[in-house]
Amino acid sequence: MENEGKITPWEVEGKIDYERITKEFGLKNIDDELIEKIKGFTKEMHVLLRRKYFFAHRDLDLVLEEAKTNGFFLYTGRGPSGPMHIGHLIPFVFTKWLQEKFKVNVYIELTDDEKFLEPKRRLTLEETRKWAYENILDIIAVGFDENRTFIFQDTEYIKNMYPLALKIAKKINFSTVRAVFGFRNETNIGLIFFPALEIVPTFFEDKICLIPAAVDQDPFWRLQRDIAEALGKRKAAQIHSKFLPPLIGLEGKMSASRPETSIYLTDDEKTVREKIYKYAFSGGQPTIELHRKLGGNPDIDVSFQWLKILFEEDDNKLKKIEEDYRSGKLLTGELKDILIEKLVKFLQEHQRKREEAKEKVKEFKYDGKLAREMWEKIFE
Amino acid sequence: MENEGKITPWEVEGKIDYERITKEFGLKNIDDELIEKIKGFTKEMHVLLRRKYFFAHRDLDLVLEEAKTNGFFLYTGRGPSGPMHIGHLIPFVFTKWLQEKFKVNVYIELTDDEKFLEPKRRLTLEETRKWAYENILDIIAVGFDENRTFIFQDTEYIKNMYPLALKIAKKINFSTVRAVFGFRNETNIGLIFFPALEIVPTFFEDKICLIPAAVDQDPFWRLQRDIAEALGKRKAAQIHSKFLPPLIGLEGKMSASRPETSIYLTDDEKTVREKIYKYAFSGGQPTIELHRKLGGNPDIDVSFQWLKILFEEDDNKLKKIEEDYRSGKLLTGELKDILIEKLVKFLQEHQRKREEAKEKVKEFKYDGKLAREMWEKIFE
């Protein structure tokens, strides 16, 4: 089983077989029909959806139905265990796009408690809170609507969530979290309780909740759907993303604890260039001569995959890059240069907005329209 | 094993063998030497201590040492699952006496979360919060110093406790709470986490914490003492009370869910009289003639035991009652009348103070000197 890949919220290892996951987790594929339905609302189509980086869902069709009547709300989050990399940003980029197109509220949870409780992180609570602040800057930089977005971290917002967390927790026993999350007798009692706090925000509004997130968070949502109706509440819908492949190859997800596998959102041009040249796994041939003769393999080339997932939105341009690489006309170094140029431009823009975000933290956490409303509410 | 009695924070059954408990839990008896030491501070001696209703301790000698230098603080609490009866009040009566004699701070936790999470209670969170309010009135009526006492309930004070609760929770795993509390795979994840929140207040001050409480809470304190030093904090000291025997006999503890076993703090004179006449287990003989001839047995007579524990402070008077009952001179009805008179007087006074307490709730929870300080603090 070792090579089959492993997915829990705290571990993603090996080669990820997304078809198998879809089946195993009981998800539905995002097919062209559904994409057309979305387009009916959004007019244009986000590259992450068009290229099926968001590949699977639950009840997204229902969300689109309700979009016409009751409306819906968006919920996503971040475990603040370290600096954010490109892969971490993707669900936020997509969530922001959905917010813009549907004009809905977005709730973003920073689980500073969870990342402290997770033993292998070896982080103090002070550290996870510091990372929460740093990560919030990156999240704000994505461009959310400050009056329709509430960013909160568990240790600060706990009082407002705790009564509902208790009601959720009362419906979940140890057997269940052992089966769903792989908890063991050695798991600490904080982490055992934590799932209740990740579920609370799915009930923040009486509307249906849509969660855009990486697929490793799915166990929380399966649990949410098991207990929602017994609490007189609604099952949440999900739209699941794949993982951005690590620089060093297509397996697993990027890990902030292995710096060479990631491009951080704070990396400068020089660092990006060095990392891509040195670490980005190449589908090219060992020598220029061989490459010209045999061509490269874009399917396993990380630089090409990154362009495909996010950085080259133009289908025609992407197709030309793919053909030229496959034919040997485009060399690995040249392909990397294309990615580097896009990446550096993206990061420079992001870093500029990240600086501006420092002035907006209070707005998103406390003073914006939605934030003010949320601090008045106690969820029960 | 069934007749040996069972003690956890959520279950007390059968005959309680306090000697066995003392040994098993690793407690020390409160002996005359220690009582003399206490008297060195307090001058007079509380009847609950003199008659060894508070029968065992951990580190009480250490607390008395520190009373001369650093000082100490008191912590006790109440699970608000229903109306309070006489037995529930006893630790508060004693804690109040200690506060008065030592001039120290008292922290009183209302575990509205725990009583909601405990499945067999079948209480809603709304109900446990309503009981928290009702119980707080009884607690205030005991006469605590409103500037040295902080009464808080978990769902309200959670934000201030949560960071420290996380640090505590990270040190405790499922195996441990299974062994200490008898939790099972079917236990809900809220109750599994809860012990962290009962431990937090033991660290409210940098001084040593002394906990006067019924002995069924001891598992929490054993856990506290196991982890305190790893958190760079102090082990709490305890002084343990027995249970007030239920009206219907000397086994177990009074249970608010079986009204006939308890005298509620809100019972009126008529109810008290009826309950004592009807239910108070008697050590007397079946007929007056036999009683005059053979005498009664005060050792198993609940009315006598209640007088001994709390209601007849005068040792000489108590001795005369005992002798007269044993000789047959005092009839069961007469013994019951003695108790009823004391009890009714106590309850009338308590109920008067309970009415006045309604004006003081805000003071103890939010506005008193200690309360104001506590709302400013986040424990980490």
Side-chain angles (χ1 to χ4, degrees):
Chain A
M1 297 290 280
E2 211 152 343
N3 291 323
E4 280 201 14
K6 185 175 170 186
I7 294 197
T8 78
W10 301 287
E11 227 164 355
V12 177
E13 277 173 7
K15 186 164 161 46
I16 313 294
D17 178 344
Y18 291 106
E19 265 179 60
R20 186 172 66 87
I21 288 172
T22 304
K23 226 176 194 168
E24 243 177 46
F25 289 6
L27 308 174
K28 283 188 182 163
N29 284 312
I30 291 182
D31 55 22
D32 294 335
E33 196 191 324
L34 190 59
I35 287 184
E36 278 310 305
K37 264 195 200 166
I38 296 170
K39 221 171 160 179
F41 292 89
T42 60
K43 309 309 167 199
E44 51 170 37
M45 193 43 29
H46 199 281
V47 60
L48 288 165
L49 207 49
R50 205 170 65 213
R51 303 252 172 87
K52 310 236 171 99
Y53 183 76
F54 278 86
F55 71 105
H57 76 100
R58 275 199 203 89
D59 284 350
L60 182 55
D61 35 2
L62 188 59
V63 170
L64 294 174
E65 278 305 308
E66 305 227 351
K68 299 175 200 158
T69 54
N70 280 344
F72 66 96
F73 69 100
L74 293 161
Y75 162 43
T76 190
R78 156 85 187 146
S81 57
M84 281 171 75
H85 56 57
I86 293 281
H88 294 135
L89 203 66
I90 288 183
F92 294 103
V93 168
F94 185 62
T95 303
K96 184 251 171 187
W97 181 78
L98 289 172
Q99 175 177 58
E100 207 173 270
K101 296 297 168 190
F102 288 91
K103 303 271 178 259
V104 292
N105 289 341
V106 172
Y107 301 90
I108 298 171
E109 180 177 47
L110 278 286
T111 57
D112 53 358
D113 47 358
E114 173 202 18
K115 292 299 155 185
F116 164 68
L117 292 167
E118 214 184 319
K120 71 163 203 276
R121 300 275 176 189
R122 300 181 174 280
L123 291 169
T124 65
L125 192 55
E126 293 65 33
E127 285 167 331
T128 64
R129 284 159 154 185
K130 189 205 76 172
W131 286 121
Y133 175 77
E134 294 293 327
N135 295 170
I136 285 170
L137 298 181
D138 287 309
I139 292 165
I140 291 174
V142 169
F144 290 97
D145 178 341
E146 63 197 36
N147 283 312
R148 288 182 187 272
T149 306
F150 178 47
I151 302 178
F152 58 103
Q153 65 199 74
D154 289 344
T155 61
E156 292 185 355
Y157 198 59
I158 181 74
K159 183 181 171 184
N160 304 63
M161 297 196 285
Y162 189 60
L164 182 51
L166 292 171
K167 290 178 185 177
I168 293 165
K170 197 172 174 180
K171 298 277 179 209
I172 303 172
N173 66 29
F174 183 69
S175 288
T176 301
V177 292
R178 190 175 55 184
V180 173
F181 299 108
F183 287 165
R184 293 162 303 129
N185 289 341
E186 293 70 38
T187 302
N188 72 62
I189 63 173
L191 202 58
I192 291 172
F193 174 66
F194 169 74
L197 285 171
E198 183 151 333
I199 290 173
V200 168
T202 67
F203 303 131
F204 272 175
E205 297 188 9
D206 284 336
K207 303 169 181 175
I208 189 168
C209 172
L210 174 62
I211 304 164
V215 70
D216 58 345
Q217 299 300 299
D218 195 63
F220 290 109
W221 320 137
R222 294 200 295 274
L223 198 50
Q224 194 272 359
R225 294 172 63 90
D226 278 350
I227 61 165
E229 287 174 356
L231 290 166
K233 303 200 183 267
R234 299 207 54 172
K235 290 183 182 185
Q238 292 89 48
I239 178 163
H240 289 299
S241 82
K242 299 180 180 173
F243 304 109
L244 189 66
L247 279 185
I248 52 171
L250 294 187
E251 298 196 353
K253 67 173 181 180
M254 294 207 293
S255 164
S257 49
R258 295 164 62 201
E260 75 279 11
T261 67
S262 317
I263 298 289
Y264 294 110
L265 295 172
T266 47
D267 281 349
D268 62 16
E269 181 171 352
K270 185 164 165 284
T271 310
V272 170
R273 197 171 295 279
E274 279 172 7
K275 281 186 183 174
I276 301 288
Y277 278 140
K278 191 162 172 192
Y279 297 112
F281 186 82
S282 166
Q285 303 297 342
T287 65
I288 294 185
E289 290 67 34
L290 271 175
H291 191 84
R292 294 280 187 220
K293 192 172 152 191
L294 302 172
N297 180 0
D299 302 333
I300 61 164
D301 189 289
V302 170
S303 301
F304 179 78
Q305 293 300 320
W306 281 32
L307 284 168
K308 183 175 165 184
I309 288 166
L310 194 64
F311 292 103
E312 182 47 76
E313 293 194 27
D314 185 320
D315 287 349
N316 291 326
K317 283 188 188 165
L318 187 77
K319 199 173 164 216
K320 183 154 172 21
I321 292 168
E322 183 171 5
E323 285 169 0
D324 288 352
Y325 194 58
R326 218 181 275 282
S327 73
K329 189 173 160 194
L330 191 68
L331 297 175
T332 292
E334 291 165 340
L335 176 60
K336 287 189 172 184
D337 282 337
I338 296 171
L339 176 64
I340 288 165
E341 194 196 342
K342 295 269 184 188
L343 208 45
V344 166
K345 201 179 145 199
F346 175 85
L347 288 176
Q348 280 170 349
E349 181 69 2
H350 179 81
Q351 287 160 14
R352 188 182 59 73
K353 290 182 191 156
R354 192 180 193 279
E355 270 307 301
E356 290 172 11
K358 290 177 182 170
E359 303 298 313
K360 296 183 190 165
V361 174
K362 276 188 67 186
E363 203 68 8
F364 280 96
K365 290 181 81 177
Y366 310 111
D367 298 338
K369 184 169 173 295
L370 182 60
R372 266 183 288 117
E373 285 167 24
M374 290 300 286
W375 283 100
E376 293 298 313
K377 289 181 187 171
I378 303 279
F379 292 92
E380 315 228 336
Chain B
M1 298 290 281
E2 211 151 343
N3 290 324
E4 280 201 13
K6 185 175 170 187
I7 294 197
T8 78
W10 301 287
E11 227 164 353
V12 177
E13 278 173 6
K15 185 163 162 47
I16 314 293
D17 177 344
Y18 291 106
E19 265 181 58
R20 186 172 66 87
I21 288 172
T22 303
K23 226 176 195 171
E24 241 177 47
F25 289 5
L27 308 174
K28 284 188 181 163
N29 284 311
I30 291 182
D31 54 23
D32 295 335
E33 195 191 324
L34 190 58
I35 287 184
E36 279 310 306
K37 263 195 199 168
I38 296 170
K39 221 172 160 179
F41 291 89
T42 60
K43 309 308 166 201
E44 49 169 39
M45 193 44 27
H46 198 281
V47 60
L48 288 165
L49 205 50
R50 205 171 64 213
R51 303 252 172 88
K52 308 234 173 102
Y53 183 76
F54 278 87
F55 71 104
H57 76 100
R58 275 198 203 91
D59 284 351
L60 182 54
D61 35 2
L62 189 58
V63 169
L64 295 174
E65 278 305 309
E66 306 228 350
K68 299 174 199 158
T69 53
N70 281 342
F72 67 96
F73 68 99
L74 293 160
Y75 162 43
T76 190
R78 156 86 187 145
S81 57
M84 282 171 73
H85 55 58
I86 293 280
H88 294 137
L89 203 66
I90 288 185
F92 294 103
V93 168
F94 186 62
T95 302
K96 184 252 170 187
W97 181 78
L98 289 172
Q99 176 178 59
E100 206 173 270
K101 295 298 169 190
F102 288 93
K103 303 270 177 261
V104 292
N105 289 339
V106 172
Y107 301 90
I108 298 171
E109 180 176 46
L110 278 287
T111 57
D112 54 358
D113 46 359
E114 173 202 18
K115 292 299 155 185
F116 164 68
L117 291 167
E118 214 185 318
K120 71 163 202 276
R121 299 275 176 189
R122 300 181 175 280
L123 291 169
T124 65
L125 192 55
E126 294 64 32
E127 286 166 332
T128 64
R129 284 159 155 184
K130 188 204 76 172
W131 287 122
Y133 175 77
E134 294 294 327
N135 295 170
I136 285 171
L137 298 181
D138 287 309
I139 293 166
I140 291 174
V142 169
F144 291 98
D145 177 343
E146 62 197 38
N147 284 311
R148 287 182 188 273
T149 306
F150 178 48
I151 302 179
F152 58 102
Q153 66 199 72
D154 289 344
T155 61
E156 292 185 356
Y157 198 58
I158 181 74
K159 183 181 170 182
N160 304 63
M161 296 196 286
Y162 189 60
L164 182 51
L166 291 172
K167 290 178 187 178
I168 293 165
K170 196 172 175 180
K171 299 276 179 211
I172 303 172
N173 65 29
F174 183 70
S175 288
T176 301
V177 291
R178 191 174 55 185
V180 173
F181 299 108
F183 287 166
R184 293 162 304 128
N185 288 341
E186 294 69 38
T187 302
N188 73 61
I189 62 173
L191 203 57
I192 291 172
F193 174 67
F194 170 75
L197 286 171
E198 184 151 331
I199 291 173
V200 168
T202 66
F203 303 132
F204 272 176
E205 298 188 8
D206 284 335
K207 303 167 182 176
I208 190 168
C209 171
L210 174 63
I211 305 163
V215 69
D216 58 346
Q217 299 299 299
D218 194 63
F220 290 110
W221 320 137
R222 294 200 296 272
L223 198 50
Q224 194 271 0
R225 293 172 63 90
D226 277 349
I227 61 165
E229 287 174 355
L231 290 166
K233 304 202 183 268
R234 298 207 55 172
K235 290 183 181 184
Q238 291 89 50
I239 178 162
H240 289 298
S241 82
K242 298 179 182 174
F243 304 108
L244 189 66
L247 279 185
I248 52 172
L250 294 186
E251 298 196 352
K253 66 173 181 180
M254 293 207 294
S255 164
S257 48
R258 296 164 62 202
E260 74 279 11
T261 68
S262 318
I263 298 288
Y264 296 110
L265 296 173
T266 47
D267 281 349
D268 61 16
E269 181 170 351
K270 184 164 164 282
T271 309
V272 170
R273 198 171 295 278
E274 279 173 7
K275 281 187 183 173
I276 299 288
Y277 279 141
K278 190 162 174 192
Y279 297 113
F281 186 83
S282 166
Q285 303 297 341
T287 65
I288 294 184
E289 291 65 35
L290 272 176
H291 190 84
R292 294 280 188 222
K293 191 172 154 193
L294 302 173
N297 179 1
D299 304 331
I300 61 165
D301 189 289
V302 170
S303 302
F304 179 78
Q305 292 300 321
W306 282 32
L307 285 167
K308 181 175 166 184
I309 288 166
L310 193 63
F311 293 103
E312 182 47 77
E313 292 193 27
D314 186 320
D315 287 348
N316 292 325
K317 284 188 187 165
L318 187 76
K319 201 174 162 213
K320 183 154 172 24
I321 292 170
E322 183 171 5
E323 285 169 1
D324 287 353
Y325 194 58
R326 217 181 277 281
S327 74
K329 189 173 161 195
L330 191 69
L331 297 175
T332 292
E334 292 165 339
L335 175 60
K336 287 189 173 183
D337 283 336
I338 296 172
L339 176 65
I340 288 165
E341 194 197 340
K342 295 270 184 188
L343 209 44
V344 166
K345 201 178 144 199
F346 175 84
L347 288 176
Q348 280 170 349
E349 179 69 3
H350 178 81
Q351 288 160 14
R352 189 183 59 72
K353 290 183 190 155
R354 193 181 191 279
E355 270 307 301
E356 291 172 11
K358 289 177 183 169
E359 303 298 313
K360 296 184 190 165
V361 174
K362 276 188 67 188
E363 202 68 8
F364 280 97
K365 288 182 84 177
Y366 311 111
D367 298 338
K369 184 169 173 295
L370 183 60
R372 267 184 286 116
E373 285 168 23
M374 290 300 285
W375 282 101
E376 293 297 313
K377 288 180 187 170
I378 304 279
F379 292 92
E380 316 227 337

